[in-house]
C-alpha cells in the first residue's frame, strides 16, 4: 500500500548488489510493507555509483535519489563503499548550488540481513521526499525539454 | 532489435497483487519489444521452454523476464536464453516480486511500478552487448581456516579427495571446542575418543599441512587463485625439535598461568601443552606468565629441555600460500555470563559456565573427572542448571536460540547423576528445544531415568547463603516463585560469533550478519557457499550448530570444492572493466584506485602510457569507471550508458508529462 494518498513521486534507489539489494530482497521475503514510490537500479557496488547518475536523475525528473550499499568495512570489493562515501558526500554538498534541496539525496548502508532496516530507510526517505514535494524542474526550458524528449 | 518480455505470475506471489496481464500489455509499447506475454511460472520447465520457443519463433535478440530477484534465478534464465541461441548477457531481469508484489498490496501502484521496472529492464537490454567469458587455470590447493571438528572434517575430506590442504589453526592445537567436551549428546560417548583419531589422521595425512598457532592475515586474488598470508605466531619453542615429552611443564616454576583450554578453572604452567591428545603435541610458552619474559631471568625450561628446543628470541613468521579455494570454519565463542550481574557475574566461585563444568567432568580435566566445587573442593549435592544464558534474550543482544544448550544441559544432568548418584539436578528452562534425531528421547531420559527436575521459568537472582547459593526463579507452570538451594550453579551459556570474526570477514571479503555470524549465499539453496566465489563456510562460524551438523557442513564444503576442482579451468565472469584505448590518456588514476591491482600500465605503439585490465583479476566493482576522468574505462554490462538508460526510462516520461501540463 502506498504510504501517501494521491500521486506517487519519482524516487530512484541505486543499490549495491551484495548488501542493500539483498537487504531489499530480505524485506520482500519478510513481506515488510513499504511505500511504492521507489524504483531500484541495481549496481555491482556503490563504488560504481557515479555522482553523474544522481545529478542526471534529478535533472531529468526524479524527485529523490537514494544510494545504499554495504556498511563501511563490509564491502564485497574491500573498499568500494569508502570511495562512494567520499564522492557522494561531496556531490550532496553541490546540490544547493544547482538549485536542489540537499534532502532530495541520501546515501545509507543496509546489509543483506537487514530487511527491517531497509523498510525503515525506504519509508523515511519516501516521507522526506513527499514533505519536499515534486522537485523543481531546473535548467531546462520547455523547448530544451521537448528537444530532449524528442531525442529520447 | 527484437526483444521479448515475459511477466511471471509466480503462482499468486506476483499475480496476487500485480495485474500481470496489464504489465505484459504495456510492455508491448516499450521500444523494440515485439513479443510480450505473461507466464505462470517462468522458472519452471514449461516456462523456460516457452522462452526458448519464443526466441526462435519471434527471432528475438534479447529477453526480459520480470519475476523474482536476479540473486535467485538470473543464472537459470541466462542458461535458458543460451539454450534459445542468444548470448547469456542479452538478458535482463526485473524484480517484481521481492521489490513489488511482496512489499505492497496496492494493486494499482504495484502494476505501475512493475511496468516501470520492466521498462527499465527493456531500456537496459537495448544497450546490452554480447559478452564472452575467458578461461583461466585453477590452483588445486585448499586452505581450511579453523581446526575444530568442522574444519578437520573439511580438511580430511579434501585431502582424501586428493587435494593438497593447508589447515590453519589459531590456538596451539586443533580440536576446537569438541576437544574440551567430556561426552557428546545424545549417545553419551566419549568426545575425545571419536575426535582423537580424526585429529591424528590430520597430523598423519600426507596431503595436509598444519599451521597451528597461526592466523590468516591477508587474502588476495580470486577463486582458483587466492594468495593468503599466514602469520605463524612465535611459540618460543622450536617445534621441529620439540618431542612433546612434557618435562618443561613439570619443571616450570610459573604455575599460575591462565589455562584457556580448561576455561580458567585451574591454573597451568607458563610453558605447556594444552591437553594430552593435542595435535601437534608441542609445547608453547605464554609470555604473559613466563618469568623469563616478565623478569628476564629463569630459563628453567631451556635448561631441562632434552632436545634444546627452547628459543626465547623466536619471532613471528609470515608465510604466503597459494590456494584455489578457502573453507572458513572459525567456530564460535561462548557467551560471557558476567553480563548478567544478577547471576553472580563472575563474583561467586560456585557459579560456573557449562564449559567449565564440562572440564570438571572430563577425566583428563583438572580434577581428573571428579566434580568438585571451585570454592572448597567439596562434592556438590544439589546442582542447578540455568538455561538460555545469552540465548533468546534481546536485553543482551542475543535474541537467537543457540540451539545446542538444551541438549548439553540434559547431557550434563545425566553425567552428574553418573558421577554423583546421590546428587539432585535442577534445570531452569524456557522451552526444551530438542529437534534432532534421538534428541527429545534423550532429554526425556534425563528427566525420567536420571531424575533431573525441570522447572519452566527464568532465574531472576542468584545469591550466596552460608556456603551454598540460593537460586531464585519462577515456575511458570505452577505459577509460583521458587527458590532452590544449590551447591553448584552451572550456567548454560549460548554461542556468539568468535572474536575477530568481523575482521576476518573483511579480510576474506565475505559478509556477516548483525551478530557477526558469516552469511551463506542463500539460506536454503546455498548453505555452505558465500557470496565470494571460492570461499565456503563450515560449522558454527555460520551460526550455532551441534557436532553432526558441523561435520555435515564440513563435508559439504569439501564436496563443493572437489566439484569446483573437477575441472582444470574455470570461466571468468566477463562483467569486467574494459579500456577504450583511444580515449585513455594514461593518467593512471584507475590503477591506483583498483582494490585488486587488476589494471596495469602498458604502452601503445607510440610509446604513450595506457591502462589495460587484467580480466581474470578484475572483480567487476566498477570503481575505475567512476574514477576515470575520460570515461575511457567502462564496466561491461554496467556501463554509464546502460545505467543511464534505466534512469532515463524512469525519468523521461515524467519530464514529458510535467512539461505537457
Amino acid at each position: 500500500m502506498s504510504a501517501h494518498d494521491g500521486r506517487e513521486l519519482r524516487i530512484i534507489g541505486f543499490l549495491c548488489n551484495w548488501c542493500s539489494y539483498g537487504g531489499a530482497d530480505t524485506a520482500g521475503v519478510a513481506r515488510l510493507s513499504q511505500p511504492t514510490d521507489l524504483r531500484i537500479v541495481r549496481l555491482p557496488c556503490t563504488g560504481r555509483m557515479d555522482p553523474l547518475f544522481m545529478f542526471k536523475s534529478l535533472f531529468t525528473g526524479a524527485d529523490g535519489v537514494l544510494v545504499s550499499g554495504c556498511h563501511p568495512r563490509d564491502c564485497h570489493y574491500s573498499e568500494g563503499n569508502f570511495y562512494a562515501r567520499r564522492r557522494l558526500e561531496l556531490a550532496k554538498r553541490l546540490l544547493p548550488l544547482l538549485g536542489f534541496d540537499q534532502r532530495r539525496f541520501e546515501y545509507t548502508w543496509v546489509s543483506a540481513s537487514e530487511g527491517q532496516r531497509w523498510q525503515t530507510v525506504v519509508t523515511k526517505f519516501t516521507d522526506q521526499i513527499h514533505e519536499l514535494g515534486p522537485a523543481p524542474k531546473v535548467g531546462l526550458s520547455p523547448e530544451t525539454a521537448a528537444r530532449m524528449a524528442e531525442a529520447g | 532489435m527484437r526483444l521479448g518480455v515475459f511477466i511471471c505470475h509466480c503462482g499468486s506471489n506476483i499475480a496476487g497483487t500485480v495485474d500481470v496481464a496489464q504489465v505484459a500489455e504495456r510492455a508491448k509499447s516499450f521500444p523494440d519489444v515485439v513479443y510480450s506475454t505473461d507466464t505462470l511460472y517462468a522458472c519452471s520447465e514449461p516456462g523456460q521452454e516457452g522462452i526458448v520457443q519464443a526466441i526462435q519463433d519471434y527471432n528475438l535478440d534479447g529477453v526480459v523476464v520480470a519475476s523474482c530477484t536476479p540473486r535467485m534465478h538470473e543464472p537459470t534464465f541466462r542458461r535458458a536464453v543460451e539454450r534459445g541461441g542468444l548470448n547469456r548477457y542479452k538478458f535482463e531481469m526485473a524484480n517484481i516480486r521481492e521489490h513489488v508484489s511482496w512489499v505492497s498490496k496496492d494493486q494499482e501502484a504495484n502494476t505501475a511500478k512493475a511496468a516501470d521496472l520492466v521498462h527499465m529492464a527493456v531500456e537496459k537490454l537495448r544497450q546490452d552487448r554480447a559478452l564472452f567469458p575467458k578461461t583461466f587455470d585453477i590452483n588445486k590447493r585448499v586452505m581450511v581456516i579453523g581446526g575444530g571438528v568442522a574444519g578437520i572434517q573439511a580438511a580430511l575430506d579434501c585431502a582424501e579427495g586428493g587435494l593438497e590442504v593447508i589447515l590453519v589453526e589459531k590456538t596451539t592445537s586443533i580440536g576446537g571446542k569438541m576437544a574440551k567436551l567430556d561426552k557428546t549428546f545424545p549417545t553419551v560417548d566419549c568426545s575425545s575418543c571419536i575426535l582423537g583419531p580424526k585429529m591424528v589422521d590430520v597430523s598423519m595425512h600426507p596431503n595436509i599441512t598444519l599451521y597451528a598457532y597461526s592466523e590468516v592475515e591477508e587474502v588476495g586474488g580470486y577463486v582458483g587463485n587466492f594468495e593468503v598470508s599466514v602469520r605463524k605466531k612465535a611459540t618460543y619453542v622450536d617445534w621441529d625439535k620439540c618431542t612433546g615429552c612434557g618435562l618443561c611443564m613439570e619443571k616450570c616454576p610459573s604455575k599460575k598461568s591462565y589455562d584457556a583450554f580448561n576455561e580458567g578453572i585451574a591454573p597451568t604452567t607458563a610453558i605447556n601443552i594444552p591437553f594430552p591428545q593435542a595435535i601437534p603435541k608441542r609445547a608453547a610458552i605464554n609470555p604473559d606468565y613466563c618469568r623469563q619474559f616478565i623478569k628476564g631471568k629463569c630459563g628453567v625450561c631451556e635448561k631441562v629441555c632434552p632436545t634444546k628446543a627452547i628459543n626465547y628470541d623466536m619471532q613471528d613468521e609470515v608465510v604466503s600460500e597459494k590456494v584455489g579455494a578457502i573453507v572458513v570454519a572459525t567456530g564460535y565463542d561462548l557467551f560471557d555470563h558476567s553480563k548478567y550481574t544478577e547471576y553472580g557475574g563472575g563474583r561467586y566461585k560456585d557459579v560456573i559456565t557449562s564449559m567449565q563444568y564440562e572440564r570438571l567432568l572430563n577425566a583428563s580435566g583438572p580434577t581428573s573427572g571428579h566434580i568438585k566445587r571451585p570454592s572448597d573442593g567439596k562434592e556438590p549435592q544439589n546442582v542447578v542448571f540455568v538455561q538460555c544464558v545469552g540465548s533468546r534474550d534481546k536485553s543482551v543482544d542475543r535474541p537467537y536460540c543457540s540451539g545446542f544448550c538444551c541438549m548439553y544441559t540434559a547431557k550434563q544432568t545425566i553425567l552428574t547423576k553418573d558421577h554423583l548418584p546421590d546428587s539432585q539436578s535442577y534445570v531452569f528452562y524456557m522451552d526444551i528445544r530438542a529437534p534432532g534425531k534421538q534428541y527429545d528421547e534423550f532429554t526425556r531420559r534425563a528427566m525420567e531415568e536420571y531424575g533431573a527436575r525441570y522447572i519452566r521459568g527464568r532465574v531472576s537472582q542468584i545469591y550466596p547463603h552460608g556456603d551454598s547459593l540460593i537460586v531464585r526463579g519462577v515456575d511458570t507452570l505452577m505459577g509460583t516463585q521458587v527458590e532452590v538451594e544449590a551447591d553448584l550453579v552451572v550456567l548454560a551459556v549460548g554461542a556468539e560469533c568468535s572474536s575477530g570474526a568481523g575482521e576476518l570477514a573483511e579480510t576474506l571479503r565475505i559478509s556477516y550478519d548483525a551478530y557477526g555470524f558469516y552469511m551463506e549465499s542463500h539460506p536454503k539453496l546455498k548453505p555452505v557457499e558465500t557470496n565470494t566465489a571460492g570461499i565456503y563456510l563450515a560449522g558454527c562460524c555460520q551460526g550455532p550448530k551441534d557436532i553432526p551438523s558441523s561435520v555435515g557442513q564440513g563435508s559439504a564444503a569439501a564436496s563443493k570444492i572437489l566439484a569446483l576442482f573437477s575441472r582444470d579451468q574455470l570461466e571468468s565472469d566477463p562483467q569486467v572493466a574494459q579500456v577504450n584505448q583511444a580515449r585513455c590518456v594514461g593518467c593512471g588514476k584507475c590503477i591506483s584506485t583498483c582494490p585488486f591491482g587488476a589494471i596495469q600500465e602498458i604502452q601503445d605503439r607510440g610509446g604513450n602510457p595506457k591502462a589495460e585490465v587484467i580480466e581474470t583479476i578484475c572483480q567487476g566493482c566498477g570503481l575505475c569507471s567512476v574514477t576515470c576522468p575520460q570515461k575511457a574505462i567502462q564496466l561491461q554490462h554496467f556501463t554509464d550508458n546502460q545505467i543511464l538508460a534505466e534512469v532515463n526510462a524512469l525519468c523521461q516520461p515524467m519530464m514529458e508529462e510535467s512539461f505537457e501540463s
Side-chain angles (χ1 to χ4, degrees):
Chain A
M1 201 182 75
S2 176
H4 302 276
D5 295 334
R7 199 169 154 209
E8 256 184 21
L9 290 175
R10 190 102 327 189
I11 305 172
I12 308 186
F14 293 94
L15 267 59
C16 103
N17 178 45
W18 303 102
C19 288
S20 293
Y21 197 91
D25 284 350
T26 308
V29 173
R31 313 294 202 274
L32 301 176
S33 148
Q34 295 153 39
T36 53
D37 310 41
L38 182 121
R39 273 89 168 122
I40 292 169
V41 175
R42 183 162 69 128
L43 299 178
C45 174
T46 44
R48 177 68 189 93
M49 180 65 199
D50 198 320
L52 166 78
F53 304 153
M54 183 261 284
F55 291 127
K56 188 83 195 287
S57 305
L58 289 172
F59 271 124
T60 55
D63 301 305
V65 175
L66 176 72
V67 177
S68 185
C70 307
H71 287 278
R73 307 214 301 152
D74 192 16
C75 176
H76 183 72
Y77 302 103
S78 306
E79 50 200 48
N81 49 9
F82 286 131
Y83 282 92
R85 185 167 63 181
R86 216 180 295 170
R87 287 171 186 147
L88 297 175
E89 185 55 43
L90 262 175
K92 188 176 162 81
R93 290 179 198 186
L94 267 174
L95 281 176
L97 291 175
L98 302 167
F100 287 102
D101 194 308
Q102 275 200 17
R103 288 171 292 171
R104 293 197 183 276
F105 170 69
E106 298 287 356
Y107 60 91
T108 183
W109 322 117
V110 176
S111 86
S113 58
E114 295 175 324
Q116 275 190 329
R117 180 168 152 80
W118 174 248
Q119 181 192 33
T120 318
V121 164
V122 173
T123 312
K124 253 176 84 178
F125 188 67
T126 309
D127 286 350
Q128 186 170 315
I129 298 302
H130 274 266
E131 241 167 64
L132 294 166
K137 303 287 173 267
V138 258
L140 288 177
S141 64
E143 297 81 51
T144 325
R147 266 212 316 280
M148 277 183 68
E150 222 167 79
Chain B
M1 198 176 273
R2 300 171 61 81
L3 306 180
V5 177
F6 299 81
I7 316 291
C8 181
H9 288 233
C10 197
S12 64
N13 279 308
I14 294 168
T17 53
V18 174
D19 186 342
V20 280
Q22 202 192 328
V23 176
E25 194 53 40
R26 269 201 236 171
K28 286 180 182 152
S29 67
F30 300 148
D32 294 337
V33 174
V34 293
Y35 178 71
S36 175
T37 185
D38 53 299
T39 164
L40 193 57
Y41 284 105
C43 59
S44 67
E45 200 189 337
Q48 292 190 41
E49 281 315 306
I51 295 170
V52 173
Q53 199 60 44
I55 293 171
Q56 283 151 7
D57 290 352
Y58 294 89
N59 197 18
L60 300 177
D61 300 313
V63 167
V64 167
V65 174
S67 58
C68 52
T69 171
R71 283 161 58 99
M72 175 104 95
H73 275 318
E74 197 171 52
T76 315
F77 291 123
R78 277 186 173 161
R79 278 195 296 275
V81 166
E82 216 161 33
R83 278 210 306 281
L86 295 181
N87 182 275
R88 56 166 60 196
Y89 293 93
K90 300 289 274 180
F91 165 76
E92 286 298 330
M93 220 166 154
N95 184 350
I96 61 168
R97 192 177 76 178
E98 279 84 348
H99 295 179
V100 181
S101 71
W102 276 351
V103 293
S104 164
K105 292 195 165 63
D106 182 339
Q107 175 138 3
E108 199 185 327
N110 277 357
T111 308
K113 185 173 173 182
D116 272 351
L117 293 181
V118 173
H119 189 192
M120 287 159 71
V122 167
E123 292 290 354
K124 164 106 194 285
L125 181 60
R126 291 175 73 208
Q127 305 286 333
D128 282 355
R129 287 174 41 205
L131 299 176
F132 301 93
K134 290 223 161 61
T135 55
F136 60 90
D137 293 332
I138 314 176
N139 181 341
K140 294 187 181 179
R141 299 173 83 217
V142 185
M143 177 168 286
V144 179
I145 308 173
V149 69
I152 288 174
Q153 186 67 36
L156 285 175
D157 283 353
C158 286
E160 283 300 305
L163 304 176
E164 215 179 302
V165 180
I166 294 140
L167 179 57
V168 179
E169 165 58 39
K170 187 160 72 171
T171 64
T172 52
S173 168
I174 58 170
K177 296 277 189 301
M178 188 179 167
K180 298 185 180 187
L181 305 181
D182 179 37
K183 304 280 193 306
T184 58
F185 58 80
T187 45
V188 204
D189 52 350
C190 160
S191 181
S192 62
C193 310
I194 49 178
L195 183 68
K198 274 187 182 295
M199 290 164 64
V200 175
D201 285 351
V202 167
S203 70
M204 304 298 276
H205 207 292
N207 284 358
I208 301 180
T209 311
L210 173 60
Y211 289 151
Y213 206 44
S214 302
E215 280 184 84
V216 166
E217 207 161 60
E218 251 180 69
V219 179
Y222 49 96
V223 56
N225 294 280
F226 289 107
E227 198 168 333
V228 189
S229 317
V230 179
R231 176 175 291 270
K232 293 170 81 175
K233 292 177 281 185
T235 55
Y236 308 104
V237 177
D238 184 342
W239 280 7
D240 292 334
K241 290 182 186 163
C242 177
T243 57
C245 68
L247 199 59
C248 51
M249 284 176 75
E250 270 174 42
K251 303 288 181 198
C252 177
S254 173
K255 297 194 190 299
K256 290 267 160 75
S257 305
Y258 179 78
D259 188 352
F261 188 78
N262 280 323
E263 298 280 318
I265 199 105
T268 186
T269 46
I271 183 166
N272 73 77
I273 300 165
F275 57 108
Q277 301 93 334
I279 299 282
K281 197 176 178 187
R282 299 282 184 270
I285 295 177
N286 183 345
D288 295 341
Y289 295 95
C290 174
R291 292 185 187 178
Q292 182 70 30
F293 283 88
I294 299 169
K295 294 183 181 154
K297 58 176 181 186
C298 175
V300 170
C301 50
E302 194 181 22
K303 280 182 210 119
V304 300
C305 179
T307 59
K308 303 279 168 252
I310 310 294
N311 174 8
Y312 297 120
D313 301 322
M314 194 183 251
Q315 298 292 321
D316 288 5
E317 188 191 343
V318 177
V319 289
S320 178
E321 290 287 350
K322 288 193 165 78
V323 295
I326 298 173
V327 179
V328 192
T330 47
Y332 66 103
D333 275 355
L334 289 163
F335 179 79
D336 173 16
H337 67 93
S338 66
K339 283 178 189 161
Y340 286 94
T341 47
E342 65 271 32
Y343 291 173
R347 281 172 291 140
Y348 309 137
K349 277 189 172 171
D350 293 334
V351 178
I352 62 173
T353 70
S354 43
M355 190 57 101
Q356 288 174 326
Y357 192 58
E358 198 77 36
R359 294 310 300 155
L360 287 183
L361 291 168
N362 198 314
S364 64
T367 55
S368 308
H370 298 295
I371 304 176
K372 290 177 184 167
R373 305 206 309 174
S375 61
D376 52 14
K378 280 189 198 152
E379 282 188 354
Q381 178 71 30
N382 287 349
V383 184
V384 174
F385 295 87
V386 182
Q387 289 202 216
C388 294
V389 179
S391 173
R392 301 177 66 199
D393 189 350
K394 261 190 173 177
S395 70
V396 292
D397 197 30
R398 299 286 178 272
Y400 54 86
C401 174
S402 292
F404 46 56
C405 333
C406 287
M407 292 307 297
Y408 73 60
T409 303
K411 174 192 75 181
Q412 289 180 343
T413 62
I414 289 176
L415 294 177
T416 307
K417 197 75 177 171
D418 276 344
H419 281 68
L420 308 167
D422 297 331
S423 68
Q424 176 63 51
S425 296
Y426 298 85
V427 180
F428 281 91
Y429 71 105
M430 284 164 72
D431 298 293
I432 299 294
R433 301 203 162 173
K437 192 176 176 179
Q438 295 283 315
Y439 281 15
D440 204 59
E441 296 91 317
F442 183 74
T443 50
R444 276 177 195 287
R445 252 178 74 204
M447 295 177 220
E448 290 159 11
E449 240 175 83
Y450 290 84
R453 287 200 197 148
Y454 272 65
I455 304 163
R456 189 180 198 276
R458 278 187 84 85
V459 168
S460 61
Q461 204 185 7
I462 298 171
Y463 59 92
H465 174 74
D467 63 350
S468 56
L469 295 154
I470 304 288
V471 181
R472 178 184 286 168
V474 61
D475 186 335
T476 53
L477 295 179
M478 300 282 283
T480 54
Q481 290 269 342
V482 283
E483 284 189 352
V484 182
E485 195 171 335
D487 302 309
L488 185 66
V489 178
V490 180
L491 303 178
V493 285
E496 58 186 29
C497 72
S498 65
S499 63
E503 286 83 357
L504 183 65
E506 284 151 21
T507 310
L508 291 164
R509 297 190 298 274
I510 58 177
S511 25
Y512 51 97
D513 66 17
Y515 307 108
F517 292 112
Y518 298 151
M519 275 181 67
E520 63 282 2
S521 195
H522 189 280
K524 303 269 187 299
L525 302 175
K526 288 183 171 179
V528 298
E529 289 101 323
T530 64
N531 274 332
T532 302
I535 300 186
Y536 302 87
L537 303 175
C540 290
C541 64
Q542 185 243 0
K545 42 181 81 63
D546 57 14
I547 294 167
S549 310
S550 299
V551 172
Q553 217 184 4
S555 287
S559 78
K560 281 280 167 192
I561 290 171
L562 286 164
L564 178 78
F565 287 179
S566 65
R567 287 159 285 183
D568 289 324
Q569 290 202 309
L570 285 181
E571 280 192 348
S572 67
D573 189 345
Q575 296 179 68
V576 294
Q578 204 174 47
V579 183
N580 178 346
Q581 299 290 358
R583 272 197 159 192
C584 176
V585 293
C587 67
K589 284 205 167 94
C590 52
I591 299 175
S592 56
T593 306
C594 179
F596 305 97
I599 309 173
Q600 60 185 2
E601 191 180 293
I602 54 159
Q603 289 191 337
D604 68 0
R605 273 183 289 177
N608 304 309
K610 298 279 176 188
E612 188 185 62
V613 176
I614 310 164
E615 289 191 19
T616 47
I617 300 181
C618 177
Q619 301 289 297
C621 64
L623 266 180
C624 52
S625 298
V626 190
T627 308
C628 178
Q630 288 291 100
K631 295 285 168 212
I633 189 163
Q634 287 286 337
L635 177 63
Q636 299 302 298
H637 212 64
F638 287 97
T639 63
D640 286 344
N641 286 343
Q642 284 171 323
I643 294 166
L644 288 174
E646 289 188 69
V647 171
N648 284 342
L650 210 46
C651 297
Q652 294 285 7
M654 287 297 290
M655 202 172 64
E656 283 165 38
E657 200 182 308
S658 62
F659 285 105
E660 270 164 21
S661 56

